[in-house]
Amino acid sequence: MNILFFGDISGKIGRRAVASVLPGLKKKYQPDVIIANADNVTHGNGINETHLNYLREQGIDIFTAGDHTLRRPQTRELLTDKEVPVLRPANTENAEGEGAKVFEIGEKKLLVISLLGRTFIDENIPSPFVVLKEILHAYNDKVDAILVDFHAEATSEKAALPWYIDGKVTAVLGTHTHVQTADERILPGGTAVITDVGFCGARDSVIGVDKDEIINHFLTGGGFRMNIPEYGDAQVNAVYIQTAADGKATTIERINTIVKIT
Ligand SMILES: [Fe+2]
Ligand SMILES: [Fe+2]
């Protein structure tokens, strides 16, 4: 199975950037399935129906979640529809939707799991390590490949989880920090990992948000508005993963391109 996975698509510029590079990436990698983290798609918080439909038209099949996903009521509404291919974090209690779901990819079955880290995000949510083990137990040997989006802040937490389940899932892909790490590899057991895939959005920004807003936030200690630049250079961060018949990863390749959005 060939899988293409985009890091956090952030705002309109991120949506447009992904749309502009997708035809070329599809030609090059021939993905069987395209997945994207949708934590910041609609003005930085979650995803609405219009933007979901737009990205599906571009070819994205499945959307994973994060710490901003449930902040948008429209996203929570979308999650109640079982036909909508949007996940919530699996270790979020009392929330709409599902955090782990099996998708039919041609003749194959792909289990996608969305998890949220606790360190520096929310120490009170259930442990992603424990929840992941429970999910894997439930789906034991029933799928051809398993992809985990681990949306977390701490590098250490994101480094530990793949070792914990090496060989039991196809890939553990980190998201959330918006900065692509250069540590992609396949662990000895066959699990492909990258600490953070990066993001798709405004390049001349602070992790996607207007840089002056954020500089001011650090200078004054006050809040900031989620102002996302709409034009200029946009970066598109993704990974390409190839799997073998036994569900283990054989390739993980980092994608980092820049497109101009006018
Ligand atoms: Fe994000
Ligand atoms: Fe996030």
Side-chain angles (χ1 to χ4, degrees):
M1 196 182 297
N2 291 347
I3 303 169
L4 195 56
F5 180 97
F6 290 95
D8 310 28
I9 300 175
S10 300
K12 187 177 187 181
I13 189 168
R15 300 192 299 271
R16 291 182 62 203
V18 168
S20 77
V21 301
L22 257 172
L25 292 179
K26 282 187 210 167
K27 207 167 175 184
K28 182 173 178 188
Y29 293 106
Q30 306 282 316
D32 299 301
V33 59
I34 305 176
I35 306 168
N37 181 285
D39 198 33
N40 313 116
V41 168
T42 301
H43 312 305
N45 285 309
I47 185 166
N48 68 21
E49 195 173 8
T50 306
H51 298 155
L52 172 70
N53 291 339
Y54 171 78
L55 291 172
R56 289 183 83 180
E57 279 163 25
Q58 311 308 314
I60 299 176
D61 304 294
I62 301 163
F63 298 83
T64 51
D67 52 319
H68 291 83
T69 303
L70 300 171
R71 289 186 190 168
R72 180 171 295 281
Q74 294 149 307
T75 310
R76 297 187 83 114
E77 175 87 32
L78 276 177
L79 285 168
T80 61
D81 183 346
K82 279 192 179 304
E83 300 304 309
V84 170
V86 181
L87 298 177
R88 65 162 166 83
N91 54 327
T92 305
E93 287 176 325
N94 305 319
E96 302 80 353
E98 294 167 280
K101 201 167 178 175
V102 177
F103 295 88
E104 310 271 340
I105 312 297
E107 312 246 292
K108 304 253 173 69
K109 284 191 171 70
L110 170 68
L111 171 62
V112 181
I113 304 167
S114 199
L115 286 172
L116 192 58
R118 292 204 291 193
T119 308
F120 306 131
I121 290 182
D122 186 352
E123 297 285 352
N124 297 314
I125 59 173
S127 161
F129 291 70
V130 172
V131 170
L132 178 56
K133 264 282 166 74
E134 288 167 0
I135 293 168
L136 294 179
H137 190 69
Y139 287 94
N140 195 21
D141 293 334
K142 290 179 192 143
V143 295
D144 299 287
I146 302 172
L147 185 138
V148 179
D149 174 348
F150 190 25
H151 197 84
E153 183 76 44
T155 303
S156 56
E157 195 175 7
K158 288 198 270 194
L161 188 94
W163 282 115
Y164 178 61
I165 39 118
D166 180 24
K168 296 190 177 69
V169 308
T170 308
V172 178
L173 308 177
T175 56
H176 175 71
T177 68
H178 291 205
V179 178
Q180 188 176 67
T181 55
D183 62 341
E184 77 281 12
R185 64 176 287 198
I186 296 171
L187 297 183
T191 298
V193 298
I194 183 167
T195 302
D196 208 291
V197 177
F199 90 123
C200 306
R203 186 165 187 245
D204 293 336
S205 69
V206 176
I207 58 172
V209 179
D210 179 87
K211 55 189 187 313
D212 295 327
E213 282 278 341
I214 303 301
I215 290 168
N216 195 46
H217 159 72
F218 283 114
L219 283 172
T220 65
F224 62 89
R225 287 165 296 172
M226 192 67 98
N227 282 351
I228 297 176
E230 289 199 2
Y231 306 101
D233 283 348
Q235 69 188 61
V236 175
N237 293 158
V239 287
Y240 164 67
I241 288 159
Q242 207 167 28
T243 74
D246 61 1
K248 299 195 174 183
T250 53
T251 305
I252 176 165
E253 184 183 325
R254 220 158 16 96
I255 297 163
N256 179 20
T257 54
I258 294 166
V259 287
K260 201 168 263 310
I261 301 297
T262 53

Short mmCIF file of all heavy atoms in Angstrom, two decimals, residues 166-200:
data_model
loop_
_atom_site.label_atom_id
_atom_site.label_comp_id
_atom_site.label_asym_id
_atom_site.label_seq_id
_atom_site.Cartn_x
_atom_site.Cartn_y
_atom_site.Cartn_z
N ASP A 166 6.72 -0.94 18.38
CA ASP A 166 7.47 -1.26 17.15
C ASP A 166 7.10 -2.65 16.63
O ASP A 166 7.11 -3.63 17.37
CB ASP A 166 8.98 -1.19 17.44
CG ASP A 166 9.81 -1.51 16.20
OD1 ASP A 166 9.28 -1.32 15.08
OD2 ASP A 166 10.96 -1.94 16.35
N GLY A 167 6.77 -2.69 15.34
CA GLY A 167 6.42 -3.97 14.70
C GLY A 167 4.95 -4.30 14.76
O GLY A 167 4.47 -5.17 14.04
N LYS A 168 4.21 -3.55 15.59
CA LYS A 168 2.77 -3.83 15.70
C LYS A 168 1.93 -2.88 14.86
O LYS A 168 0.74 -3.09 14.67
CB LYS A 168 2.34 -3.77 17.17
CG LYS A 168 3.01 -4.84 18.02
CD LYS A 168 2.39 -4.92 19.40
CE LYS A 168 3.02 -6.04 20.21
NZ LYS A 168 4.42 -5.78 20.59
N VAL A 169 2.53 -1.80 14.39
CA VAL A 169 1.83 -0.87 13.49
C VAL A 169 2.77 -0.52 12.32
O VAL A 169 3.98 -0.67 12.42
CB VAL A 169 1.36 0.43 14.19
CG1 VAL A 169 0.56 0.13 15.44
CG2 VAL A 169 2.54 1.33 14.53
N THR A 170 2.18 -0.06 11.24
CA THR A 170 2.95 0.28 10.04
C THR A 170 3.75 1.57 10.24
O THR A 170 4.91 1.66 9.85
CB THR A 170 2.00 0.45 8.84
OG1 THR A 170 1.16 -0.71 8.77
CG2 THR A 170 2.75 0.66 7.55
N ALA A 171 3.10 2.57 10.83
CA ALA A 171 3.77 3.86 10.98
C ALA A 171 3.21 4.64 12.16
O ALA A 171 2.02 4.56 12.46
CB ALA A 171 3.59 4.70 9.70
N VAL A 172 4.11 5.36 12.82
CA VAL A 172 3.70 6.35 13.82
C VAL A 172 4.25 7.68 13.33
O VAL A 172 5.47 7.89 13.26
CB VAL A 172 4.26 6.05 15.22
CG1 VAL A 172 3.83 7.15 16.20
CG2 VAL A 172 3.80 4.69 15.72
N LEU A 173 3.32 8.57 12.97
CA LEU A 173 3.72 9.87 12.41
C LEU A 173 3.37 10.97 13.39
O LEU A 173 2.21 11.14 13.77
CB LEU A 173 3.00 10.08 11.07
CG LEU A 173 3.14 8.92 10.07
CD1 LEU A 173 2.33 9.19 8.82
CD2 LEU A 173 4.61 8.69 9.72
N GLY A 174 4.37 11.74 13.80
CA GLY A 174 4.12 12.84 14.71
C GLY A 174 3.58 14.05 13.97
O GLY A 174 3.96 14.32 12.83
N THR A 175 2.67 14.76 14.64
CA THR A 175 2.18 16.04 14.10
C THR A 175 2.08 17.02 15.28
O THR A 175 2.35 16.65 16.41
CB THR A 175 0.79 15.89 13.42
OG1 THR A 175 -0.12 15.32 14.36
CG2 THR A 175 0.87 15.00 12.19
N HIS A 176 1.69 18.25 14.98
CA HIS A 176 1.39 19.31 15.95
C HIS A 176 2.46 20.40 16.07
O HIS A 176 2.10 21.57 16.20
CB HIS A 176 1.09 18.76 17.35
CG HIS A 176 0.89 19.82 18.40
ND1 HIS A 176 -0.23 20.63 18.42
CD2 HIS A 176 1.66 20.21 19.44
CE1 HIS A 176 -0.13 21.46 19.45
NE2 HIS A 176 1.01 21.23 20.08
N THR A 177 3.75 20.07 16.03
CA THR A 177 4.71 21.16 16.26
C THR A 177 4.88 22.05 15.03
O THR A 177 5.39 23.16 15.13
CB THR A 177 6.11 20.63 16.65
OG1 THR A 177 6.68 19.96 15.53
CG2 THR A 177 6.04 19.71 17.84
N HIS A 178 4.45 21.56 13.86
CA HIS A 178 4.54 22.31 12.60
C HIS A 178 5.97 22.44 12.07
O HIS A 178 6.19 23.17 11.11
CB HIS A 178 3.89 23.70 12.71
CG HIS A 178 2.41 23.66 12.85
ND1 HIS A 178 1.58 24.69 12.48
CD2 HIS A 178 1.58 22.69 13.31
CE1 HIS A 178 0.32 24.38 12.73
NE2 HIS A 178 0.30 23.17 13.23
N VAL A 179 6.91 21.80 12.72
CA VAL A 179 8.29 21.86 12.23
C VAL A 179 8.72 20.44 11.87
O VAL A 179 8.75 19.55 12.73
CB VAL A 179 9.24 22.44 13.31
CG1 VAL A 179 10.68 22.45 12.80
CG2 VAL A 179 8.81 23.86 13.67
N GLN A 180 9.04 20.25 10.60
CA GLN A 180 9.38 18.90 10.14
C GLN A 180 10.73 18.46 10.71
O GLN A 180 11.72 19.19 10.61
CB GLN A 180 9.43 18.86 8.62
CG GLN A 180 9.60 17.46 8.07
CD GLN A 180 9.55 17.42 6.55
OE1 GLN A 180 10.44 17.92 5.87
NE2 GLN A 180 8.51 16.83 6.01
N THR A 181 10.76 17.27 11.27
CA THR A 181 12.02 16.75 11.80
C THR A 181 12.68 15.84 10.76
O THR A 181 12.01 15.27 9.91
CB THR A 181 11.78 15.97 13.11
OG1 THR A 181 10.82 14.93 12.86
CG2 THR A 181 11.28 16.88 14.20
N ALA A 182 14.01 15.75 10.85
CA ALA A 182 14.78 14.99 9.84
C ALA A 182 15.18 13.62 10.37
O ALA A 182 16.25 13.11 10.05
CB ALA A 182 16.01 15.80 9.43
N ASP A 183 14.30 13.00 11.17
CA ASP A 183 14.66 11.73 11.81
C ASP A 183 13.83 10.55 11.29
O ASP A 183 13.69 9.55 11.99
CB ASP A 183 14.50 11.86 13.33
CG ASP A 183 13.06 12.17 13.75
OD1 ASP A 183 12.27 12.65 12.89
OD2 ASP A 183 12.72 11.94 14.92
N GLU A 184 13.29 10.69 10.08
CA GLU A 184 12.46 9.59 9.57
C GLU A 184 13.30 8.32 9.43
O GLU A 184 14.46 8.38 8.99
CB GLU A 184 11.81 9.98 8.23
CG GLU A 184 12.69 9.93 7.02
CD GLU A 184 13.60 11.15 6.87
OE1 GLU A 184 13.72 11.93 7.82
OE2 GLU A 184 14.22 11.28 5.80
N ARG A 185 12.71 7.21 9.82
CA ARG A 185 13.40 5.93 9.73
C ARG A 185 12.41 4.80 9.93
O ARG A 185 11.26 5.03 10.31
CB ARG A 185 14.50 5.83 10.81
CG ARG A 185 13.97 5.86 12.22
CD ARG A 185 15.04 5.67 13.28
NE ARG A 185 15.52 4.31 13.34
CZ ARG A 185 16.20 3.78 14.39
NH1 ARG A 185 16.45 4.54 15.45
NH2 ARG A 185 16.61 2.54 14.38
N ILE A 186 12.89 3.60 9.69
CA ILE A 186 12.07 2.42 10.00
C ILE A 186 12.75 1.71 11.17
O ILE A 186 13.93 1.37 11.10
CB ILE A 186 11.94 1.49 8.77
CG1 ILE A 186 11.18 2.24 7.66
CG2 ILE A 186 11.18 0.22 9.13
CD1 ILE A 186 11.15 1.55 6.33
N LEU A 187 12.01 1.52 12.24
CA LEU A 187 12.55 0.86 13.44
C LEU A 187 12.80 -0.63 13.15
O LEU A 187 12.25 -1.16 12.18
CB LEU A 187 11.58 1.04 14.62
CG LEU A 187 11.33 2.49 15.08
CD1 LEU A 187 10.42 2.51 16.31
CD2 LEU A 187 12.63 3.23 15.37
N PRO A 188 13.59 -1.30 13.98
CA PRO A 188 13.95 -2.71 13.70
C PRO A 188 12.74 -3.63 13.50
O PRO A 188 12.80 -4.56 12.70
CB PRO A 188 14.74 -3.11 14.95
CG PRO A 188 15.27 -1.84 15.49
CD PRO A 188 14.28 -0.77 15.16
N GLY A 189 11.65 -3.35 14.18
CA GLY A 189 10.47 -4.22 14.05
C GLY A 189 9.65 -3.95 12.80
O GLY A 189 8.74 -4.71 12.47
N GLY A 190 9.93 -2.84 12.11
CA GLY A 190 9.22 -2.55 10.86
C GLY A 190 8.23 -1.40 10.92
O GLY A 190 7.43 -1.20 10.00
N THR A 191 8.28 -0.61 11.99
CA THR A 191 7.40 0.56 12.10
C THR A 191 8.12 1.81 11.59
O THR A 191 9.21 2.14 12.08
CB THR A 191 6.97 0.76 13.58
OG1 THR A 191 6.23 -0.38 14.00
CG2 THR A 191 6.12 2.01 13.74
N ALA A 192 7.50 2.49 10.63
CA ALA A 192 8.07 3.73 10.12
C ALA A 192 7.74 4.86 11.09
O ALA A 192 6.62 4.93 11.61
CB ALA A 192 7.49 4.06 8.74
N VAL A 193 8.72 5.73 11.34
CA VAL A 193 8.49 6.82 12.29
C VAL A 193 9.08 8.13 11.78
O VAL A 193 10.05 8.14 11.03
CB VAL A 193 9.11 6.54 13.68
CG1 VAL A 193 8.50 5.33 14.32
CG2 VAL A 193 10.61 6.38 13.60
N ILE A 194 8.47 9.21 12.22
CA ILE A 194 9.06 10.55 12.11
C ILE A 194 8.51 11.33 13.29
O ILE A 194 7.31 11.23 13.61
CB ILE A 194 8.75 11.22 10.75
CG1 ILE A 194 9.45 12.58 10.64
CG2 ILE A 194 7.25 11.37 10.52
CD1 ILE A 194 9.47 13.18 9.23
N THR A 195 9.36 12.06 13.98
CA THR A 195 8.90 12.76 15.19
C THR A 195 7.85 13.81 14.85
O THR A 195 6.87 13.97 15.56
CB THR A 195 10.09 13.41 15.92
OG1 THR A 195 11.03 12.39 16.23
CG2 THR A 195 9.66 14.09 17.20
N ASP A 196 8.07 14.56 13.76
CA ASP A 196 7.01 15.47 13.30
C ASP A 196 7.06 15.61 11.78
O ASP A 196 8.11 15.90 11.21
CB ASP A 196 7.09 16.84 13.97
CG ASP A 196 5.72 17.49 14.05
OD1 ASP A 196 5.18 17.87 12.98
OD2 ASP A 196 5.15 17.59 15.15
N VAL A 197 5.91 15.41 11.18
CA VAL A 197 5.81 15.50 9.71
C VAL A 197 5.97 16.95 9.25
O VAL A 197 6.42 17.20 8.13
CB VAL A 197 4.44 14.94 9.24
CG1 VAL A 197 4.26 15.09 7.73
CG2 VAL A 197 4.30 13.48 9.63
N GLY A 198 5.63 17.90 10.13
CA GLY A 198 5.65 19.31 9.75
C GLY A 198 4.24 19.80 9.45
O GLY A 198 3.27 19.20 9.92
N PHE A 199 4.12 20.87 8.69
CA PHE A 199 2.78 21.41 8.43
C PHE A 199 2.68 21.94 7.01
O PHE A 199 3.66 22.03 6.28
CB PHE A 199 2.41 22.47 9.48
CG PHE A 199 2.78 23.90 9.14
CD1 PHE A 199 1.82 24.90 9.09
CD2 PHE A 199 4.10 24.25 8.88
CE1 PHE A 199 2.15 26.22 8.81
CE2 PHE A 199 4.45 25.57 8.58
CZ PHE A 199 3.47 26.55 8.55
N CYS A 200 1.45 22.31 6.63
CA CYS A 200 1.18 22.87 5.31
C CYS A 200 0.54 24.23 5.55
O CYS A 200 -0.62 24.32 5.98
CB CYS A 200 0.25 21.99 4.51
SG CYS A 200 0.83 20.28 4.39
#
